[in-house]
Amino acid sequence: MTDSTQTATGTTNTAPTSASFGKTTEGTEVQLFTLTNAHGLKVSISNYGGTITSLMVPDKDGKLGDVVLGFDNVSGYQSPEFVKSGPYFGALIGRYGNRIKGGKFTLDGKHYTLAKNNGENTLHGGKKGFDKVVWQAEPGTSADGQTLKLTYLSKDGEEGYPGNLNVTVTYTLTNDDALKIDYSATTDKATPVNLTNHAYFNLALGQKPDILGHEVTIAADRYNVVDAGLIPTGELRAVKGTPFDFTTPHTIGERIAQVPGGYDHNWILNQTSGMHTAATVYEPTTGRTMEVRTTEPGLQFYTGNFLDGTLKGKNGLTYGKHAAFCMETQHFPDSPNQPSFPTTILKPGQTLQSSTTYQFGVRR
């Protein structure tokens, strides 16, 4: 499936290619779309879960390499081992990214009960979140580069959430080497919404078994303190003088032992309006860099603490502890139960709009 459109400059933009990605356990045929930019970068995305399955970016020598964890076929994302461990590799997350305490919330005086899938809590939308549905896909082109527009109607009552929620997510692989994700949603009843992507990055994948040597900077002076179930206590604590201080570059491994279980926390980004830098990452052996920019107020930085080597991905790689990190741009966890946090309630007549870019480069 390819087509061409003439741009204003007269050059030809070709739409992303598509190929079969196999059949789901329910027997639905799903597709894999590959977007390519002017410099040869490639991202492959399935309409199963809106999942980023591979992302090829150059190192300091110009050699392309995959920098995300994933599988070669949809069956990898539905295997009993994957379902049991639930890492959400590369998937779109919704209706509500992160955790909601006790699987319940109250909205406009009405109590709602959600599917619990993380102990006593609801995680990443419930038992069948947006990561496990087949999205309608429309490959295309834009002035910035090739695009993949995904749409999904989450029906009233799905996983316990109110309202028919119409969601559109557009991936763009830009010609200046960024993967841009634009989210929008409308609803016919007030409902909590927190959309994100759960890509697992290792900028030296296949060369380094873990990400402990990556240098990270996060533009945040505070983070959410969480309880044993990773639910925010409500306290926004200063990072200064703690292992959560990434206001200047630190390797992931430098202080991770001081954080019980490893990093899996939401940082409160310093800038809250417009598109702003959330984080930068540098991997010294490959020279690869990644800058995360977003319109969101929070960033969940997760260091693959629950990976244990039971999952084997593309190219025969085994995904062990700290094999990759996630930078999920988002609103704060458990916001529906925490009135002091920025609201995640979308109301009829409103349109949720959110954007995040992952900008790739090299440092020589």
Side-chain angles (χ1 to χ4, degrees):
M1 183 200 298
T2 59
D3 71 27
S4 297
T5 55
Q6 288 294 115
T7 64
T9 57
T11 56
T12 301
N13 272 351
T14 309
T17 60
S18 72
S20 172
F21 199 53
K23 285 187 177 176
T24 67
T25 49
E26 295 82 29
T28 306
E29 179 86 21
V30 290
Q31 298 297 115
L32 188 69
F33 298 87
T34 299
L35 287 61
T36 307
N37 83 350
H39 302 137
L41 280 72
K42 289 179 189 285
V43 62
S44 295
I45 302 161
S46 176
N47 62 328
Y48 177 78
T51 304
I52 299 168
T53 67
S54 90
L55 178 55
M56 304 290 289
V57 302
D59 65 11
K60 62 189 175 188
D61 300 319
K63 188 180 171 195
L64 288 176
D66 197 353
V67 295
V68 296
L69 306 194
F71 302 102
D72 289 321
N73 188 285
V74 70
S75 59
Y77 298 90
Q78 294 194 304
S79 74
E81 299 81 12
F82 186 82
V83 172
K84 185 182 177 190
S85 59
Y88 300 90
F89 287 167
L92 291 177
I93 303 295
R95 276 189 201 194
Y96 198 93
N98 221 305
R99 292 166 176 84
I100 294 179
K101 184 178 182 180
K104 56 190 178 190
F105 64 91
T106 303
L107 179 56
D108 297 334
K110 190 172 177 189
H111 302 294
Y112 292 93
T113 303
L114 308 172
K116 294 178 185 178
N117 62 325
N118 185 243
E120 282 302 298
N121 306 315
T122 298
L123 175 66
H124 293 333
K127 289 181 178 166
K128 188 177 181 180
F130 291 0
D131 61 296
K132 295 180 184 71
V133 302
V134 178
W135 294 65
Q136 290 295 313
E138 188 184 323
T141 60
S142 73
D144 294 327
Q146 293 188 346
T147 61
L148 180 66
K149 179 179 167 186
L150 299 173
T151 52
Y152 177 66
L153 169 62
S154 175
K155 292 186 175 169
D156 185 22
E158 187 172 295
E159 295 297 304
Y161 290 94
N164 291 295
L165 187 75
N166 276 291
V167 186
T168 300
V169 180
T170 303
Y171 288 102
T172 305
L173 184 61
T174 71
N175 286 320
D176 66 350
D177 300 348
L179 178 62
K180 185 166 189 260
I181 312 176
D182 293 303
Y183 306 86
S184 71
T186 57
T187 184
D188 59 3
K189 277 186 199 170
T191 187
V193 187
N194 191 20
L195 304 175
T196 191
N197 178 278
H198 213 310
Y200 280 67
F201 297 100
N202 179 337
L203 300 184
L205 188 62
Q207 294 168 258
K208 299 272 180 174
D210 62 53
I211 40 77
L212 299 179
H214 286 55
E215 290 178 13
V216 169
T217 313
I218 300 176
D221 295 329
R222 296 175 300 160
Y223 72 100
N224 286 117
V225 178
V226 292
D227 65 17
L230 298 173
I231 298 289
T233 63
E235 181 191 350
L236 309 182
R237 188 176 291 173
V239 299
K240 194 175 168 76
T242 77
F244 295 90
D245 188 352
F246 286 93
T247 53
T248 56
H250 289 273
T251 63
I252 293 172
E254 189 181 327
R255 302 162 301 173
I256 197 168
Q258 299 170 42
V259 182
Y263 296 107
D264 192 3
H265 299 72
N266 180 66
W267 272 253
I268 316 308
L269 298 173
N270 292 338
Q271 196 174 324
T272 54
S273 61
M275 201 74 172
H276 49 274
T277 298
T280 56
V281 186
Y282 168 58
E283 201 291 306
T285 56
T286 63
R288 288 189 182 105
T289 62
M290 183 175 84
E291 180 187 18
V292 184
R293 291 172 57 77
T294 189
T295 56
E296 289 293 296
L299 178 77
Q300 186 84 9
F301 175 46
Y302 169 58
T303 48
N305 314 316
F306 297 112
L307 297 174
D308 61 5
T310 56
L311 297 175
K312 201 168 255 194
K314 300 164 293 181
N315 303 314
L317 289 178
T318 298
Y319 300 144
K321 191 172 185 177
H322 308 314
F325 66 89
C326 304
M327 287 188 165
E328 303 153 71
T329 56
Q330 60 175 16
H331 272 59
F332 308 167
D334 198 37
S335 293
N337 295 311
Q338 309 245 9
S340 65
F341 291 177
T343 185
T344 53
I345 304 304
L346 181 67
K347 296 177 178 170
Q350 296 177 333
T351 300
L352 176 150
Q353 288 186 309
S354 170
S355 293
T356 295
T357 61
Y358 297 93
Q359 176 82 51
F360 295 93
V362 291
R363 200 185 295 174
R364 286 185 174 87

